[in-house]
Amino acid sequence: MRRGDFSEWAVFIAVAEEGSFTRAAAKLGLSQSALSYAVRMLEQRIGVRLISRTTRSLSLTEAGERLLVSLRPAFDHIDSEIAALTALRDKPAGTIRITTFRHAAQTVLWPVLSKLLQNYPDITVEVHVDEGLTDIVAERFDAGIRMGEQVQKDMVAVRISPDVRMAVVGSPAYFANRPAPQTPRELSEHRCASYRQNSGGGLYAWEFEQDGVELEVRVNGPVIFNDNEMLLHAAVDGLCLVYTFENQISQHITDGRLVRVLEDWCPPYSGYHLYYPSRRQHTAAFTLLVDALRYRG
């Protein structure tokens, strides 16, 4: 069956059930001549007369009766499926695919998801952790989470966190025999952990700013990681200095396990944003998630 045939079947069903081209035309919002032509083309294509016409009446032939019995359940099933899909538009259900940084997944996304998914069991969220800048359109993600300045201008961006700050930290044991750096340039005299970026594979340059002066410092040291959790272990164990997220080490500073340096050189960034293509019709589940993640501080 050709895809274009469905309109002919629908016309035939309407005419057969209404018993009149006039009533069927009113029901479908088409002209009587259009309906008559569609039925005539259908009969010519299958080579069987389906409807007997007179000037006063209309009746189905035996072939028409058999065709109506066959088609009606199929069209009823299609109608019910369309109704079910329409219901999904208003019901929070289905799968949402998101790509995000590990830090954002742990500190922003998961605290919201752990509550949301308990209240809406029909929602499934696939979280893809990737430190690179994933093309969410090409990779068929519904949304991504990145720092505000990393979001492309043609995307809708929704802030989902307060500003984010970085921090340079080391353990008391590390500083026992070393002076703390007073400026980022003095980091060349220290052992520092490097971070390997997944996108491109380069080593991340530590970024600093003070009074409008921006610096990028490429550090050296005994370890290179591509995971922030491992950076934290290296700092706590006294092996080296690390550059990591402020909220990831705040409790360690409070407890005395880590010491912060160069704080005046670490300005805030614009925080995490959920972003997604502007020209896309969203499900009720996606709209619910966006609203739950939205930062209102």
Side-chain angles (χ1 to χ4, degrees), residues 215-235:
L215 290 177
E216 287 190 356
V217 178
R218 299 197 174 275
V219 298
N220 294 292
V223 290
I224 299 173
F225 296 120
N226 69 344
D227 181 84
N228 279 307
E229 294 290 338
M230 294 302 298
L231 291 176
L232 184 58
H233 288 305

Side-chain angles (χ1 to χ4, degrees), residues 30 59 93 104 108 117 134 148 174 246 264-265 297:
L30 300 172
S59 63
V108 180
L117 297 179
T134 303
Y174 176 86
E246 180 183 63
D264 292 343
W265 282 91

